[in-house]
Amino acid sequence: MIELGRLYASIGTWLPRWKPLILSSSGISYRPLLATVDYSSQCEISGRMSDDNPTFALDYIDRSTVEKRLIRKLDLRVAFLVLVYIMNYMDRTNAALRGYEEDLGMTGNQFNTLISILYVGYLLTQAPSNMILHHMKRPSLYLSSCMAIWGVLTVSTGAVQTYHAALILRFFIGFVEAAFFPGAVFLLSRWYKRNELGLRTALLTCGASISNAFGALFASGILGSLDGTLGFTAWRWLFFVEGALTIVIAVSAAWILPDFPSTPNLWLLPDEQILAKQRMDEEVASENEHKSKPEEYYFGLVEALMDWRVWWVGAALNLMSSSQSFGLFFPDPSSYNGLQRDYEPLALRTSVDFGNCNLICCGQSPVAYVVCLTWVMNTFSQSQSKRAAAIALVNTLSTASHMGSSYFWPSSWGPSYVNSYLICILTSVLCIAMLWVFRTHLSRCNEAAEAEEQSLGLPKGLRYIL
C-alpha cells in the first residue's frame, strides 16, 4: 500500500508537466493563454491563486473564439469614437458661416487668422497630451473631460460679441481639441495588432468624411429653423446646439470609451481581459528589445524627437494637409442658402464642375492620410511611449499646416483661385516625393536586417511595412 501511494504521488507530480503533450497527441487543441503573461498581475482577475497552490480560472481555452469576441466588443467602441470625431471635426470647421464675420466686424485677413489660431493649440498640446495619456490608467476619463471642456467653449463662442473674444475662445478650443485625435489613434494602437490597425484607423477618420457629408445638412436644419429665436442669430444657435451635443456625448464617452488593456474594464470578461493584455505583450515583444529597459516619464518623447524619420514623415504630412487646404473654402450646397462664407474657389456653373469637385474631395485626406498615419503607427512601434510620441508629433506637424495654408486663399486671387490651386499641386508633388524616399529607406532597412539574420543564422525578426 505504501508503494502504491508513492506511485500515485509520483503520477500526480508529473502529470501536469505531460498534459500539453497528452492533449496534442490526442488531437485536442492546447493553447496556454497565460503562457507569456505575468501571473502575479492576474491575481485579482482569477481570484484563485495562492503561493502554495497557484490555480487559474482559465487554464486552457480556445483562443480564436475569445479573440473574435474581444475584437467585436472593441469595434463597437471604435464606432463611438467615430461619433466623437464627427463632433470634433464639426467644431473645427463651423467658423465659415455667413453673418459670422459681419456680426463680429471682421475685416481683411481676420477670418483667416480666426481659422489658423485654432491650430496653435494643436501645435503646442498634442505631444505632451499623448505622453500624459500614455501614463494614465483611465484614458476614457481624460479624453471625455477634454471633450466636455471644448463643448463648453463652443457654447461660449455662440455668445461672443467681439472678434477678439472669438479669437481667444477659438485659441483655447484648440488646446483641448488637440488631445482627442492623436489620443484616440494611440488608444487604438494599445488594443489592436499591427495587421488590425489600418481598418480601425480608417473607420475612425471616416468621422471627418461623415462630418463633411452631413455637417452642412445638419447646419441647414438648425440655421433655417432657429434664426431669430430668443433674439439670437442663426450662427449663434449653431454653436449653442453643437456645443451642447458635444457635452452630452462627452458624458457618455466617460462610460463607453475603453481604457488600456492593463486597466480593469468592466465590459470585458476575465478571459477577454487577459487575452487583450497578452496580445499587446506579444506584439511589443516581437518588435523590439526595449521592453527590458526602464523607461523614464518622457523617454519615448526623447526617442521620437531624436529620430529623423519622425520629422521626415511629419513634414510630408504637413505638405499633404497643405494641399488639402481648399476644403476650408470649398463650396457646398449650403453656400447657396447663405450659410457659408462667400468664397467660391470653383464656380460650380455646370454639373461637370460639380462632379469634378466631388472627385477632388474623394482623392484627398480620407485615403492618403489614413494610409500614412497607419504607416507611422507600424513604423515607430519599438515601444508604447515612442509610438504615442511619434503619433502626436507627426499629427502636430500635419496640423501646423493649417496655420499657413489658410492664407493660400486670399480673396484677391478669386474667383478662379488659380494660384491657390497651383500651390496645392506643388505641395502634393513634394509630399509624394518625400514619402517615396521614406519607403526606399525602409526597404533598405528590411534588406539589411534580412542579410544580418542570414549571416548569423538568426530567426526572422521585425520587417517594416512598405
Side-chain angles (χ1 to χ4, degrees), residues 7 14 46 69 109 148 152 265 269 305-306 318 364 377 404 407 446-447:
L7 177 60
W14 288 98
S46 66
R69 194 168 66 235
N109 287 329
V152 171
N265 290 270
L269 297 175
L305 289 172
M306 298 297 292
N318 181 286
Q364 287 289 331
M377 289 189 288
Y407 295 96
N446 286 345
E447 293 174 358

Coordinates of all heavy atoms in Angstrom, one line a residue, residues 7 14 46 69 109 148 152 265 269 305-306 318 364 377 404 407 446-447:
L7 N 3.5 5.7 -5.8 CA 3.3 5.7 -7.3 C 2.2 6.8 -7.6 O 2.4 7.6 -8.6 CB 2.8 4.4 -7.7 CG 2.5 4.2 -9.2 CD1 3.7 4.6 -10.1 CD2 1.9 2.8 -9.5
W14 N 4.0 14.5 -11.9 CA 4.5 14.6 -13.3 C 3.4 14.8 -14.3 O 3.6 15.3 -15.4 CB 5.3 13.3 -13.7 CG 6.6 13.3 -13.0 CD1 6.9 12.6 -11.9 CD2 7.8 14.0 -13.4 NE1 8.2 12.8 -11.5 CE2 8.8 13.7 -12.5 CE3 8.1 14.8 -14.5 CZ2 10.1 14.2 -12.6 CZ3 9.4 15.3 -14.6 CH2 10.4 15.0 -13.6
S46 N -8.2 36.3 -11.6 CA -8.6 34.9 -11.3 C -9.2 34.7 -9.9 O -10.1 33.9 -9.8 CB -7.3 34.0 -11.5 OG -6.4 34.3 -10.5
R69 N -14.5 37.4 -30.0 CA -15.4 38.1 -29.1 C -14.8 39.5 -28.6 O -15.5 40.5 -28.6 CB -15.8 37.2 -28.0 CG -17.0 37.7 -27.1 CD -17.4 36.6 -26.2 NE -16.4 36.3 -25.2 CZ -15.9 35.1 -24.9 NH1 -16.3 34.1 -25.6 NH2 -15.0 35.0 -23.9
N109 N -7.7 90.1 -43.3 CA -7.4 88.7 -43.1 C -7.8 88.2 -41.7 O -7.3 87.1 -41.3 CB -5.9 88.4 -43.3 CG -5.5 88.5 -44.8 OD1 -6.3 88.2 -45.7 ND2 -4.3 89.0 -45.0
A148 N -15.7 67.5 -23.0 CA -16.7 68.3 -22.3 C -16.2 69.8 -22.3 O -17.0 70.7 -22.4 CB -16.9 67.7 -20.9
V152 N -18.1 73.1 -23.8 CA -18.5 74.3 -23.1 C -17.9 75.6 -23.8 O -18.6 76.6 -23.9 CB -17.9 74.3 -21.7 CG1 -18.0 75.6 -20.9 CG2 -18.6 73.2 -20.9
N265 N -11.4 46.5 -17.1 CA -12.5 47.1 -17.9 C -13.7 46.2 -17.6 O -13.7 45.0 -17.8 CB -12.2 47.0 -19.4 CG -11.1 48.0 -19.8 OD1 -11.4 49.1 -20.1 ND2 -9.8 47.6 -19.8
L269 N -14.9 40.3 -20.2 CA -14.9 39.1 -19.3 C -13.4 38.8 -18.9 O -12.5 39.3 -19.6 CB -15.5 37.9 -20.1 CG -16.9 38.0 -20.5 CD1 -17.3 36.8 -21.3 CD2 -17.8 38.1 -19.3
L305 N 11.8 62.5 -30.7 CA 12.4 63.7 -31.1 C 13.8 63.5 -31.8 O 14.2 64.3 -32.7 CB 12.6 64.6 -29.9 CG 11.3 65.3 -29.3 CD1 11.6 66.0 -28.0 CD2 10.7 66.2 -30.4
M306 N 14.5 62.5 -31.4 CA 15.8 62.2 -31.9 C 15.8 61.3 -33.2 O 16.8 61.1 -33.8 CB 16.7 61.4 -30.8 CG 16.9 62.3 -29.6 SD 17.9 63.8 -29.9 CE 19.5 63.0 -30.3
N318 N 2.6 67.3 -43.4 CA 2.4 68.8 -43.4 C 2.1 69.3 -44.8 O 1.1 70.0 -45.1 CB 3.6 69.5 -42.9 CG 3.4 71.0 -42.8 OD1 3.4 71.7 -43.8 ND2 3.2 71.5 -41.6
Q364 N -8.6 63.0 -51.7 CA -7.8 63.7 -50.7 C -7.7 62.9 -49.4 O -7.6 61.7 -49.4 CB -8.4 65.1 -50.6 CG -8.1 66.0 -51.8 CD -6.6 66.4 -51.8 OE1 -5.9 66.4 -50.8 NE2 -6.1 66.6 -53.0
M377 N 2.2 54.4 -37.3 CA 2.0 53.6 -36.1 C 2.7 52.3 -36.2 O 3.2 51.7 -35.2 CB 0.5 53.3 -35.9 CG -0.3 54.5 -35.4 SD -2.0 54.1 -35.0 CE -2.7 53.8 -36.6
G404 N -0.7 78.1 -41.9 CA -0.2 78.8 -43.0 C -1.1 78.6 -44.3 O -1.2 79.6 -45.1
Y407 N -3.9 80.9 -45.6 CA -3.6 82.1 -46.3 C -3.3 81.8 -47.8 O -2.9 82.7 -48.5 CB -2.4 82.8 -45.6 CG -2.7 83.3 -44.2 CD1 -2.3 82.5 -43.1 CD2 -3.3 84.5 -44.0 CE1 -2.6 83.0 -41.8 CE2 -3.6 85.0 -42.7 CZ -3.2 84.2 -41.6 OH -3.5 84.6 -40.4
N446 N 14.9 46.8 -44.3 CA 14.5 45.4 -44.3 C 15.5 44.5 -45.0 O 15.8 43.4 -44.5 CB 13.2 45.3 -45.1 CG 12.0 45.8 -44.3 OD1 12.1 46.0 -43.1 ND2 10.9 46.1 -45.0
E447 N 16.1 44.9 -46.1 CA 17.2 44.1 -46.7 C 18.4 43.9 -45.8 O 18.9 42.8 -45.8 CB 17.6 44.8 -48.0 CG 16.5 44.9 -49.1 CD 16.9 45.7 -50.3 OE1 18.0 46.3 -50.3 OE2 16.1 45.8 -51.2

